[in-house]
Amino acid sequence: MNEKNTLGLNNCFLDLSDPFELFEKWFEEAKKSEPNDPNALALSTSTKDGIPSVRMVLLKGFNSNGFIFYTNLNSKKSNDIKENPNVAMCFHWKSLLRQIRIVGKVSQVSDEVADEYYNSRGYESRIGAWASKQSSILKNRDELKNSIDEFKKKFNDENNVPRPDHWSGWNLSPQSIEFWLDGESRIHERLKYIKNENKSWYKVLLSP
């Protein structure tokens, strides 16, 4: 059995011209092997002055246009994005000994896309989007609990909780996507897809 692709890499890298196809295949494998949240990723943003910040978020959709996550538009991450739309993501699937690194620019999803996802969430999560002033300082935990109770009274019909204007999704349109496989003695295997000026992808091998 041939365990290498045409570039001499492990066959898990396959021989695909589209990085989204390879992402989908790796993501499906991660769903089978990761014990918790295979869609978890480290999201790195920075201010206009270049001060970085990183946190874990959940991927909630992807297609040929990019990778989507949702959040409060007044949160720290969203305020960073408004100042500097250049963002990086990193998936790490320890069960597979694989990583995927993505770099690109972020733009807000349409209201229709945000509404569709928001309405798929549970009642408590939809209420939380109203009640939490994400990243702001709390006087105490009761302040948040009281806010939740207030919005439950306001929106007591679980089937009719509108999406708040301050809550939506961001789509990262990638300029590069790197696939990484752990190797013996730290001799890792790295394949990077880069988008050129014609919006098509080309591949390069990276030294570990």
Side-chain angles (χ1 to χ4, degrees), residues 139-188:
K139 295 178 182 177
N140 50 55
R141 193 69 177 175
D142 286 339
E143 181 184 353
L144 176 60
K145 292 178 179 178
N146 291 338
S147 179
I148 291 172
D149 290 341
E150 289 176 9
F151 281 107
K152 282 185 175 180
K153 291 177 183 177
K154 181 176 182 178
F155 302 118
N156 55 20
D157 181 356
E158 295 189 10
N159 296 314
N160 186 22
V161 183
R163 178 177 61 87
D165 290 338
H166 62 258
W167 192 96
S168 187
W170 294 105
N171 178 75
L172 188 158
S173 179
Q175 291 298 314
S176 67
I177 304 178
E178 179 193 332
F179 297 83
W180 179 101
L181 176 66
D182 184 82
E184 292 185 9
S185 302
R186 314 306 294 170
I187 306 300
H188 311 305

Side-chain angles (χ1 to χ4, degrees), residues 9-10 55 69 74 81 111 129 140 142-143 146 160-161 169 208:
L9 297 174
N10 185 287
R55 78 288 287 162
F69 61 94
N74 298 319
I81 288 168
D111 287 343
N140 50 55
D142 286 339
E143 181 184 353
N146 291 338
N160 186 22
V161 183

Side-chain angles (χ1 to χ4, degrees), residues 3 17 26 57 70 80-81 89-90 107 114 178 197:
E3 295 183 352
S17 59
W26 280 30
V57 301
Y70 291 88
D80 280 359
I81 288 168
M89 292 178 169
C90 182
S107 59
E178 179 193 332
E197 295 179 355

Side-chain angles (χ1 to χ4, degrees), residues 63-79:
N63 54 42
S64 59
N65 295 318
F67 302 86
I68 298 172
F69 61 94
Y70 291 88
T71 189
N72 187 309
L73 296 179
N74 298 319
S75 65
K76 164 64 176 168
K77 69 178 81 67
S78 289
N79 287 331

